[in-house]
Amino acid sequence: MLEVIDHALSADGPAGAGAIRELRLARPPVNALNAELLARIADAVSGAATEAGVLITGQPGLFSAGLDVRGMLELDRPGIENLFEQLWRATRAIACSSVPVVFGLTGHSPAGGTVLAINGDYRVMALGDFRLGLNEVQVGLIPGPPICHVFQRLVGGHAGQLLTRGALVDPAAALRVGLVDELCDVSQVVPRALTMAREIAALPRGPMLQTRTMMRQPLVDLYGPAASASRQREFTVMGADMWFAPEAQSRLRALFTKR
Amino acid sequence: MLEVIDHALSADGPAGAGAIRELRLARPPVNALNAELLARIADAVSGAATEAGVLITGQPGLFSAGLDVRGMLELDRPGIENLFEQLWRATRAIACSSVPVVFGLTGHSPAGGTVLAINGDYRVMALGDFRLGLNEVQVGLIPGPPICHVFQRLVGGHAGQLLTRGALVDPAAALRVGLVDELCDVSQVVPRALTMAREIAALPRGPMLQTRTMMRQPLVDLYGPAASASRQREFTVMGADMWFAPEAQSRLRALFTKR
Amino acid sequence: MLEVIDHALSADGPAGAGAIRELRLARPPVNALNAELLARIADAVSGAATEAGVLITGQPGLFSAGLDVRGMLELDRPGIENLFEQLWRATRAIACSSVPVVFGLTGHSPAGGTVLAINGDYRVMALGDFRLGLNEVQVGLIPGPPICHVFQRLVGGHAGQLLTRGALVDPAAALRVGLVDELCDVSQVVPRALTMAREIAALPRGPMLQTRTMMRQPLVDLYGPAASASRQREFTVMGADMWFAPEAQSRLRALFTKR
């Protein structure tokens, strides 16, 4: 479900005080995000706090299809609330990670896949006929205020039209609007993301982390103080309310009965 | 002066609960914006509140040359104040429209043309030797604070140099800085903008409008509460003061006696 | 050390009420910024307040290698504090200049070179194998909060990853993220920057300066009121503390003993 692979800090050297910990989504067929996978991501990112850095990747051609909508349609309200709680925990763990998190977006990465990635430090995206973006509106859902703020932080003035349209964009447009930081051939995404994570890890540690903390403070603040559960609860309730809205339910169910 | 054309929601189907209402500027020779045209735009956009969406377009090669400077030179202070009042009403109607407003920028769109467009939801721009931007400074005028804020909301860090220079940019630069969202051949601008308006209209209505409202709130707030006339009055007085400043008058009059 | 060249406002005409004052960095071999050069820049920019505009340039292939690290390693704490004081004075003079400041980035412009440039009005960058950016982190230093804010003002959502990585970028990436405004052949950088400074100077003076003041107010505010020395003092102490941190000292000294 989530493969954990530790890479030495330099390509040929031994691992030192910490490693680059790769978390590779592995939930066939489409790396759909269910509560268990999200919980594992949250725990794995938090658990890497003393490593040199974190890398989050998928399989060639696919990063993640987003939330596991088919599975979610089987869940009752407590189950859905739990899923949104785990989504909050995963995005919070990435946003508030004490070490840099680099995403290797190995292919398609709509909705939930993009939600995870925009909380990271750096995004390498695969060239090709792949799409990413927050397309919640297209399936009758709403990207909540915290997600919209994180998105807008990256893409600035492009956020309004992209979110209103529930737009999925191709890699070139994603680079243009600032949604990803670099494009490369699909076969090179993981190596490039690993190289980037290693380059960041090789920087003078104190100055890098201090600069990073300063620049990410507004993002961290969106998630509220660690001790407080109120924003998590708010997000969970908002997610479940949205999910069970009659219009959303009929649209989501139609997605799967159509096929 | 302003052609109103209702398009069915799907290219081949009948109009349902609402249409895509196209407002086509048609004031030869250059679609110069006078008080009457601006008032018609304001009324037409407000009047489309129950339609599916609004499209604002011009003629191939020309969207609008901006404010009707030649005509304005004939006006006394009440006339000029009325013109700026209608400009405020038109931009406010677009910014605060309850349905999405897509611009089909069919060609040149300096000054007033750009002022209208930056308040919309999405901008399709014609490829070719066309220019757009806020070039007020070039003719001795000043884009007021509300207009500057709306502009900066789209183009971020590029706003300072562009406004200081009164820069007109070509379509490629406009896309690069975020002033427009898409480029296409001049013959395809209206069809593309119509397709985009239809795509947005075909989205789940509630979630689309809720997301749109959330993302546009800071823009709407710039125009102040609907009941209040104070910002409109402030804008009107500022515009007229600027217009009748001696330096501006001599420059503006020189523009036309030169020719 | 700093060549001062006055250019007439039009290419063929005589200088009128003011000139475009070019300040050409000329401290071989790499235009390293020491306290004296920074003080001269500060004084020269402030002293050009009644000219038409300011142009800051370097030599073909090189704008500035940044702070004179080799020379700084010879300085005691008062000397280092003086250097950071002059850096503050130079950036403040550029940011708060009463006339537009155009940069002709004639080549490499890392760290201190970029720090100066981001405070200006417009940046023309040389095409070629040149780099610019705030790479402080790479040598164990930290770009302080004021510098980070000025940088983020230009590049928006790109700021976090660029500063965390201490990234140096090539000219194409610099244009893409908004760090520079225009690229041209290295031989054309000074002529193009001069043309731009002349174009801005030829605009209606009052409206141009009013628009410029409005757009640059948040930047000017970062430097605090002119009468107050507290932010300058804070910057100076922060700079010296950072410089004399043991980790920074060992890294900086290693840079030069290695060679």
Side-chain angles (χ1 to χ4, degrees), chain B residues 208-233:
Chain B
M208 183 276 284
L209 290 177
Q210 271 184 266
T211 303
R212 178 177 181 267
T213 297
M214 175 172 57
M215 298 309 294
R216 289 173 73 82
Q217 197 59 52
L219 173 63
V220 168
D221 288 346
L222 283 176
Y223 287 90
S228 160
S230 69
R231 290 195 199 179
Q232 175 180 307
R233 184 68 200 149

PDB file of all heavy atoms in Angstrom, chain B residues 208-233:
ATOM      1  N   MET B 208     -19.735  24.729  -8.091  1.00  0.00           N
ATOM      2  CA  MET B 208     -18.996  25.703  -8.901  1.00  0.00           C
ATOM      3  C   MET B 208     -19.202  27.103  -8.348  1.00  0.00           C
ATOM      4  O   MET B 208     -18.231  27.848  -8.137  1.00  0.00           O
ATOM      5  CB  MET B 208     -19.449  25.608 -10.364  1.00  0.00           C
ATOM      6  CG  MET B 208     -18.695  26.515 -11.326  1.00  0.00           C
ATOM      7  SD  MET B 208     -19.350  28.222 -11.404  1.00  0.00           S
ATOM      8  CE  MET B 208     -20.833  27.957 -12.403  1.00  0.00           C
ATOM      9  N   LEU B 209     -20.461  27.464  -8.091  1.00  0.00           N
ATOM     10  CA  LEU B 209     -20.727  28.832  -7.626  1.00  0.00           C
ATOM     11  C   LEU B 209     -20.164  29.079  -6.222  1.00  0.00           C
ATOM     12  O   LEU B 209     -19.670  30.166  -5.928  1.00  0.00           O
ATOM     13  CB  LEU B 209     -22.233  29.121  -7.661  1.00  0.00           C
ATOM     14  CG  LEU B 209     -22.826  29.249  -9.075  1.00  0.00           C
ATOM     15  CD1 LEU B 209     -24.342  29.462  -9.000  1.00  0.00           C
ATOM     16  CD2 LEU B 209     -22.177  30.400  -9.861  1.00  0.00           C
ATOM     17  N   GLN B 210     -20.208  28.060  -5.376  1.00  0.00           N
ATOM     18  CA  GLN B 210     -19.663  28.236  -4.021  1.00  0.00           C
ATOM     19  C   GLN B 210     -18.147  28.444  -4.078  1.00  0.00           C
ATOM     20  O   GLN B 210     -17.592  29.295  -3.382  1.00  0.00           O
ATOM     21  CB  GLN B 210     -19.945  26.998  -3.174  1.00  0.00           C
ATOM     22  CG  GLN B 210     -21.270  27.044  -2.440  1.00  0.00           C
ATOM     23  CD  GLN B 210     -21.421  25.826  -1.549  1.00  0.00           C
ATOM     24  OE1 GLN B 210     -22.018  24.840  -1.997  1.00  0.00           O
ATOM     25  NE2 GLN B 210     -20.900  25.868  -0.346  1.00  0.00           N
ATOM     26  N   THR B 211     -17.493  27.646  -4.900  1.00  0.00           N
ATOM     27  CA  THR B 211     -16.035  27.776  -5.037  1.00  0.00           C
ATOM     28  C   THR B 211     -15.684  29.131  -5.639  1.00  0.00           C
ATOM     29  O   THR B 211     -14.771  29.831  -5.177  1.00  0.00           O
ATOM     30  CB  THR B 211     -15.492  26.636  -5.925  1.00  0.00           C
ATOM     31  OG1 THR B 211     -15.864  25.386  -5.342  1.00  0.00           O
ATOM     32  CG2 THR B 211     -13.985  26.710  -6.051  1.00  0.00           C
ATOM     33  N   ARG B 212     -16.428  29.513  -6.679  1.00  0.00           N
ATOM     34  CA  ARG B 212     -16.207  30.808  -7.327  1.00  0.00           C
ATOM     35  C   ARG B 212     -16.395  31.958  -6.336  1.00  0.00           C
ATOM     36  O   ARG B 212     -15.587  32.891  -6.295  1.00  0.00           O
ATOM     37  CB  ARG B 212     -17.207  30.937  -8.485  1.00  0.00           C
ATOM     38  CG  ARG B 212     -17.143  32.241  -9.233  1.00  0.00           C
ATOM     39  CD  ARG B 212     -18.104  32.242 -10.405  1.00  0.00           C
ATOM     40  NE  ARG B 212     -17.998  33.499 -11.125  1.00  0.00           N
ATOM     41  CZ  ARG B 212     -18.769  34.571 -10.892  1.00  0.00           C
ATOM     42  NH1 ARG B 212     -19.718  34.508  -9.979  1.00  0.00           N
ATOM     43  NH2 ARG B 212     -18.577  35.685 -11.573  1.00  0.00           N
ATOM     44  N   THR B 213     -17.447  31.897  -5.541  1.00  0.00           N
ATOM     45  CA  THR B 213     -17.706  32.966  -4.572  1.00  0.00           C
ATOM     46  C   THR B 213     -16.558  33.078  -3.564  1.00  0.00           C
ATOM     47  O   THR B 213     -16.093  34.179  -3.253  1.00  0.00           O
ATOM     48  CB  THR B 213     -19.031  32.691  -3.827  1.00  0.00           C
ATOM     49  OG1 THR B 213     -20.091  32.713  -4.788  1.00  0.00           O
ATOM     50  CG2 THR B 213     -19.294  33.742  -2.760  1.00  0.00           C
ATOM     51  N   MET B 214     -16.108  31.935  -3.090  1.00  0.00           N
ATOM     52  CA  MET B 214     -15.000  31.929  -2.123  1.00  0.00           C
ATOM     53  C   MET B 214     -13.750  32.577  -2.725  1.00  0.00           C
ATOM     54  O   MET B 214     -13.090  33.409  -2.093  1.00  0.00           O
ATOM     55  CB  MET B 214     -14.710  30.488  -1.715  1.00  0.00           C
ATOM     56  CG  MET B 214     -13.502  30.321  -0.806  1.00  0.00           C
ATOM     57  SD  MET B 214     -13.375  28.607  -0.169  1.00  0.00           S
ATOM     58  CE  MET B 214     -13.322  27.668  -1.691  1.00  0.00           C
ATOM     59  N   MET B 215     -13.422  32.218  -3.960  1.00  0.00           N
ATOM     60  CA  MET B 215     -12.178  32.712  -4.561  1.00  0.00           C
ATOM     61  C   MET B 215     -12.273  34.183  -4.972  1.00  0.00           C
ATOM     62  O   MET B 215     -11.272  34.885  -5.029  1.00  0.00           O
ATOM     63  CB  MET B 215     -11.809  31.869  -5.797  1.00  0.00           C
ATOM     64  CG  MET B 215     -11.536  30.407  -5.498  1.00  0.00           C
ATOM     65  SD  MET B 215     -10.330  30.134  -4.154  1.00  0.00           S
ATOM     66  CE  MET B 215      -8.829  30.790  -4.897  1.00  0.00           C
ATOM     67  N   ARG B 216     -13.486  34.664  -5.277  1.00  0.00           N
ATOM     68  CA  ARG B 216     -13.641  36.039  -5.748  1.00  0.00           C
ATOM     69  C   ARG B 216     -14.004  37.017  -4.633  1.00  0.00           C
ATOM     70  O   ARG B 216     -14.134  38.220  -4.894  1.00  0.00           O
ATOM     71  CB  ARG B 216     -14.698  36.090  -6.865  1.00  0.00           C
ATOM     72  CG  ARG B 216     -14.178  35.455  -8.157  1.00  0.00           C
ATOM     73  CD  ARG B 216     -15.258  35.348  -9.207  1.00  0.00           C
ATOM     74  NE  ARG B 216     -15.608  36.611  -9.808  1.00  0.00           N
ATOM     75  CZ  ARG B 216     -14.942  37.209 -10.790  1.00  0.00           C
ATOM     76  NH1 ARG B 216     -13.853  36.645 -11.265  1.00  0.00           N
ATOM     77  NH2 ARG B 216     -15.349  38.352 -11.292  1.00  0.00           N
ATOM     78  N   GLN B 217     -14.146  36.542  -3.412  1.00  0.00           N
ATOM     79  CA  GLN B 217     -14.575  37.427  -2.336  1.00  0.00           C
ATOM     80  C   GLN B 217     -13.657  38.656  -2.193  1.00  0.00           C
ATOM     81  O   GLN B 217     -14.165  39.782  -2.067  1.00  0.00           O
ATOM     82  CB  GLN B 217     -14.673  36.647  -1.018  1.00  0.00           C
ATOM     83  CG  GLN B 217     -15.493  37.375   0.035  1.00  0.00           C
ATOM     84  CD  GLN B 217     -16.922  37.636  -0.443  1.00  0.00           C
ATOM     85  OE1 GLN B 217     -17.605  36.722  -0.888  1.00  0.00           O
ATOM     86  NE2 GLN B 217     -17.361  38.895  -0.411  1.00  0.00           N
ATOM     87  N   PRO B 218     -12.330  38.495  -2.228  1.00  0.00           N
ATOM     88  CA  PRO B 218     -11.478  39.683  -2.087  1.00  0.00           C
ATOM     89  C   PRO B 218     -11.702  40.692  -3.208  1.00  0.00           C
ATOM     90  O   PRO B 218     -11.603  41.906  -3.000  1.00  0.00           O
ATOM     91  CB  PRO B 218     -10.051  39.121  -2.147  1.00  0.00           C
ATOM     92  CG  PRO B 218     -10.180  37.674  -1.780  1.00  0.00           C
ATOM     93  CD  PRO B 218     -11.528  37.244  -2.294  1.00  0.00           C
ATOM     94  N   LEU B 219     -12.013  40.198  -4.420  1.00  0.00           N
ATOM     95  CA  LEU B 219     -12.310  41.093  -5.539  1.00  0.00           C
ATOM     96  C   LEU B 219     -13.628  41.825  -5.290  1.00  0.00           C
ATOM     97  O   LEU B 219     -13.717  43.055  -5.446  1.00  0.00           O
ATOM     98  CB  LEU B 219     -12.385  40.272  -6.836  1.00  0.00           C
ATOM     99  CG  LEU B 219     -12.851  40.999  -8.089  1.00  0.00           C
ATOM    100  CD1 LEU B 219     -11.888  42.119  -8.459  1.00  0.00           C
ATOM    101  CD2 LEU B 219     -12.986  40.021  -9.259  1.00  0.00           C
ATOM    102  N   VAL B 220     -14.643  41.079  -4.901  1.00  0.00           N
ATOM    103  CA  VAL B 220     -15.953  41.679  -4.633  1.00  0.00           C
ATOM    104  C   VAL B 220     -15.838  42.726  -3.519  1.00  0.00           C
ATOM    105  O   VAL B 220     -16.434  43.809  -3.604  1.00  0.00           O
ATOM    106  CB  VAL B 220     -16.971  40.571  -4.266  1.00  0.00           C
ATOM    107  CG1 VAL B 220     -18.251  41.159  -3.688  1.00  0.00           C
ATOM    108  CG2 VAL B 220     -17.275  39.714  -5.504  1.00  0.00           C
ATOM    109  N   ASP B 221     -15.041  42.400  -2.505  1.00  0.00           N
ATOM    110  CA  ASP B 221     -14.884  43.323  -1.369  1.00  0.00           C
ATOM    111  C   ASP B 221     -14.279  44.662  -1.786  1.00  0.00           C
ATOM    112  O   ASP B 221     -14.515  45.680  -1.127  1.00  0.00           O
ATOM    113  CB  ASP B 221     -14.019  42.684  -0.277  1.00  0.00           C
ATOM    114  CG  ASP B 221     -14.754  41.565   0.456  1.00  0.00           C
ATOM    115  OD1 ASP B 221     -15.985  41.474   0.307  1.00  0.00           O
ATOM    116  OD2 ASP B 221     -14.096  40.787   1.167  1.00  0.00           O
ATOM    117  N   LEU B 222     -13.466  44.657  -2.846  1.00  0.00           N
ATOM    118  CA  LEU B 222     -12.882  45.911  -3.323  1.00  0.00           C
ATOM    119  C   LEU B 222     -13.972  46.909  -3.717  1.00  0.00           C
ATOM    120  O   LEU B 222     -13.769  48.121  -3.649  1.00  0.00           O
ATOM    121  CB  LEU B 222     -12.001  45.676  -4.550  1.00  0.00           C
ATOM    122  CG  LEU B 222     -10.620  45.088  -4.328  1.00  0.00           C
ATOM    123  CD1 LEU B 222      -9.953  44.841  -5.670  1.00  0.00           C
ATOM    124  CD2 LEU B 222      -9.767  46.024  -3.481  1.00  0.00           C
ATOM    125  N   TYR B 223     -15.109  46.393  -4.157  1.00  0.00           N
ATOM    126  CA  TYR B 223     -16.179  47.270  -4.626  1.00  0.00           C
ATOM    127  C   TYR B 223     -17.123  47.707  -3.515  1.00  0.00           C
ATOM    128  O   TYR B 223     -18.010  48.514  -3.746  1.00  0.00           O
ATOM    129  CB  TYR B 223     -16.945  46.596  -5.763  1.00  0.00           C
ATOM    130  CG  TYR B 223     -16.138  46.573  -7.038  1.00  0.00           C
ATOM    131  CD1 TYR B 223     -15.286  45.513  -7.336  1.00  0.00           C
ATOM    132  CD2 TYR B 223     -16.181  47.640  -7.929  1.00  0.00           C
ATOM    133  CE1 TYR B 223     -14.520  45.506  -8.495  1.00  0.00           C
ATOM    134  CE2 TYR B 223     -15.422  47.638  -9.083  1.00  0.00           C
ATOM    135  CZ  TYR B 223     -14.587  46.570  -9.359  1.00  0.00           C
ATOM    136  OH  TYR B 223     -13.832  46.583 -10.490  1.00  0.00           O
ATOM    137  N   GLY B 224     -16.909  47.145  -2.318  1.00  0.00           N
ATOM    138  CA  GLY B 224     -17.704  47.591  -1.174  1.00  0.00           C
ATOM    139  C   GLY B 224     -19.096  47.009  -1.184  1.00  0.00           C
ATOM    140  O   GLY B 224     -19.515  46.373  -2.153  1.00  0.00           O
ATOM    141  N   PRO B 225     -19.821  47.210  -0.108  1.00  0.00           N
ATOM    142  CA  PRO B 225     -21.181  46.679  -0.001  1.00  0.00           C
ATOM    143  C   PRO B 225     -22.095  47.277  -1.066  1.00  0.00           C
ATOM    144  O   PRO B 225     -21.940  48.448  -1.449  1.00  0.00           O
ATOM    145  CB  PRO B 225     -21.635  47.103   1.395  1.00  0.00           C
ATOM    146  CG  PRO B 225     -20.568  47.971   1.957  1.00  0.00           C
ATOM    147  CD  PRO B 225     -19.411  47.997   1.050  1.00  0.00           C
ATOM    148  N   ALA B 226     -23.033  46.478  -1.534  1.00  0.00           N
ATOM    149  CA  ALA B 226     -23.912  46.903  -2.626  1.00  0.00           C
ATOM    150  C   ALA B 226     -24.696  48.164  -2.267  1.00  0.00           C
ATOM    151  O   ALA B 226     -24.935  49.027  -3.100  1.00  0.00           O
ATOM    152  CB  ALA B 226     -24.872  45.771  -2.980  1.00  0.00           C
ATOM    153  N   ALA B 227     -25.088  48.255  -0.997  1.00  0.00           N
ATOM    154  CA  ALA B 227     -25.934  49.370  -0.574  1.00  0.00           C
ATOM    155  C   ALA B 227     -25.168  50.689  -0.535  1.00  0.00           C
ATOM    156  O   ALA B 227     -25.754  51.762  -0.592  1.00  0.00           O
ATOM    157  CB  ALA B 227     -26.515  49.066   0.801  1.00  0.00           C
ATOM    158  N   SER B 228     -23.872  50.605  -0.449  1.00  0.00           N
ATOM    159  CA  SER B 228     -23.070  51.808  -0.248  1.00  0.00           C
ATOM    160  C   SER B 228     -22.668  52.446  -1.575  1.00  0.00           C
ATOM    161  O   SER B 228     -22.203  51.786  -2.491  1.00  0.00           O
ATOM    162  CB  SER B 228     -21.805  51.453   0.540  1.00  0.00           C
ATOM    163  OG  SER B 228     -20.833  52.446   0.354  1.00  0.00           O
ATOM    164  N   ALA B 229     -22.836  53.753  -1.665  1.00  0.00           N
ATOM    165  CA  ALA B 229     -22.463  54.474  -2.873  1.00  0.00           C
ATOM    166  C   ALA B 229     -21.139  55.215  -2.683  1.00  0.00           C
ATOM    167  O   ALA B 229     -20.672  55.885  -3.587  1.00  0.00           O
ATOM    168  CB  ALA B 229     -23.557  55.465  -3.248  1.00  0.00           C
ATOM    169  N   SER B 230     -20.517  55.057  -1.506  1.00  0.00           N
ATOM    170  CA  SER B 230     -19.365  55.916  -1.204  1.00  0.00           C
ATOM    171  C   SER B 230     -18.151  55.579  -2.073  1.00  0.00           C
ATOM    172  O   SER B 230     -17.449  56.464  -2.531  1.00  0.00           O
ATOM    173  CB  SER B 230     -19.014  55.836   0.281  1.00  0.00           C
ATOM    174  OG  SER B 230     -18.491  54.570   0.584  1.00  0.00           O
ATOM    175  N   ARG B 231     -17.909  54.302  -2.318  1.00  0.00           N
ATOM    176  CA  ARG B 231     -16.736  53.982  -3.139  1.00  0.00           C
ATOM    177  C   ARG B 231     -16.945  54.397  -4.590  1.00  0.00           C
ATOM    178  O   ARG B 231     -16.025  54.798  -5.271  1.00  0.00           O
ATOM    179  CB  ARG B 231     -16.417  52.484  -3.058  1.00  0.00           C
ATOM    180  CG  ARG B 231     -15.901  52.130  -1.684  1.00  0.00           C
ATOM    181  CD  ARG B 231     -15.230  50.792  -1.615  1.00  0.00           C
ATOM    182  NE  ARG B 231     -15.184  50.374  -0.213  1.00  0.00           N
ATOM    183  CZ  ARG B 231     -14.671  49.242   0.215  1.00  0.00           C
ATOM    184  NH1 ARG B 231     -14.151  48.388  -0.645  1.00  0.00           N
ATOM    185  NH2 ARG B 231     -14.666  48.933   1.496  1.00  0.00           N
ATOM    186  N   GLN B 232     -18.192  54.252  -5.052  1.00  0.00           N
ATOM    187  CA  GLN B 232     -18.495  54.697  -6.419  1.00  0.00           C
ATOM    188  C   GLN B 232     -18.270  56.197  -6.535  1.00  0.00           C
ATOM    189  O   GLN B 232     -17.662  56.671  -7.495  1.00  0.00           O
ATOM    190  CB  GLN B 232     -19.942  54.345  -6.762  1.00  0.00           C
ATOM    191  CG  GLN B 232     -20.379  54.865  -8.116  1.00  0.00           C
ATOM    192  CD  GLN B 232     -21.821  54.491  -8.435  1.00  0.00           C
ATOM    193  OE1 GLN B 232     -22.209  53.330  -8.364  1.00  0.00           O
ATOM    194  NE2 GLN B 232     -22.624  55.489  -8.776  1.00  0.00           N
ATOM    195  N   ARG B 233     -18.727  56.921  -5.529  1.00  0.00           N
ATOM    196  CA  ARG B 233     -18.568  58.381  -5.544  1.00  0.00           C
ATOM    197  C   ARG B 233     -17.081  58.753  -5.499  1.00  0.00           C
ATOM    198  O   ARG B 233     -16.629  59.640  -6.235  1.00  0.00           O
ATOM    199  CB  ARG B 233     -19.311  58.972  -4.332  1.00  0.00           C
ATOM    200  CG  ARG B 233     -19.309  60.487  -4.262  1.00  0.00           C
ATOM    201  CD  ARG B 233     -20.141  61.126  -5.374  1.00  0.00           C
ATOM    202  NE  ARG B 233     -19.758  62.528  -5.576  1.00  0.00           N
ATOM    203  CZ  ARG B 233     -19.818  63.172  -6.732  1.00  0.00           C
ATOM    204  NH1 ARG B 233     -20.260  62.563  -7.814  1.00  0.00           N
ATOM    205  NH2 ARG B 233     -19.440  64.422  -6.827  1.00  0.00           N
TER     206      ARG B 233
END
